[in-house]
């Protein structure tokens, strides 16, 4: 029984390490954060103005979110080009200003809710 417990703990630790749930680097070009209760979380922190894409993955219903710019201004999602798919919504932020961005959210009835961000290479802004 002890071998099974040790093996299970090892598998869990490897899965956790490989999932990107560990320490986030500020210089990472792409990151994933698990979202917990209604709150605010830090998302991307960029040094130069850039187009950014933020994708939210959920399992039950689309969460309500708003982005908070580095100066504290709230950017409502209805102001952004958005793509929706089954269990995901992607927001395109054109010319995101440098600094630490945050996301305010209400996860609603979702058990699993993850956010991913990366520089936006969408043709929406490159056309």
């Amino acid at each position: 029984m002890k071998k099974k417990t040790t093996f299970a703990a090892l598998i869990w630790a490897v899965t956790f390490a490989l999932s990107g749930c560990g320490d986030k680097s500020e210089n990472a070009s792409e990151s994933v954060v698990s979202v917990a209760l209604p709150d605010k979380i830090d998302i991307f922190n960029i040094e130069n103005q850039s187009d950014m894409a933020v994708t939210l993955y959920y399992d039950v219903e689309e969460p309500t979110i708003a982005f908070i710019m580095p100066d504290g201004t709230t950017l409502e999602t209805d102001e952004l080009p958005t793509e929706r798919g089954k269990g995901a919504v992607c927001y395109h932020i054109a010319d995101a200003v440098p600094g630490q961005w945050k996301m305010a959210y209400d996860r609603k009835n979702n058990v699993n809710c993850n956010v991913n961000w990366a520089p936006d290479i969408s043709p929406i802004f490159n056309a």
Side-chain angles (χ1 to χ4, degrees):
M1 182 69 170
K2 186 175 182 179
K3 287 183 180 180
K4 286 183 180 179
T5 304
T6 303
F7 181 72
L10 179 61
I11 294 297
W12 178 85
V14 170
T15 302
F16 183 79
L18 295 175
S19 71
C21 294
D23 194 27
K24 290 191 312 177
S25 167
E26 287 187 14
N27 295 325
S29 63
E30 183 175 341
S31 297
V32 176
V33 174
S34 291
V35 179
L37 300 172
D39 208 355
K40 291 180 188 173
I41 60 169
D42 288 344
I43 51 173
F44 57 86
N45 187 349
I46 53 177
E47 293 181 17
N48 298 307
Q49 190 165 350
S50 177
D51 294 342
M52 296 296 292
V54 179
T55 305
L56 188 66
Y57 301 93
Y58 55 91
D59 58 357
V60 178
E61 61 184 310
E62 187 175 319
T64 301
I65 73 164
F67 296 107
I68 302 167
M69 298 170 62
D71 69 359
T73 303
T74 299
L75 181 61
E76 299 296 332
T77 57
D78 59 352
E79 301 172 23
L80 302 173
T82 305
E83 296 174 66
R84 288 180 168 78
K86 185 175 181 181
V89 58
C90 180
Y91 302 99
H92 299 276
I93 303 172
D95 299 321
V97 297
Q100 178 65 63
W101 284 68
K102 297 179 184 293
M103 185 177 80
Y105 59 91
D106 176 357
R107 77 179 310 147
K108 297 185 180 178
N109 294 315
N110 293 295
V111 174
N112 295 308
C113 195
N114 295 302
V115 63
N116 173 300
W117 58 88
D120 194 351
I121 56 173
S122 171
I124 292 174
F125 300 113
N126 296 328

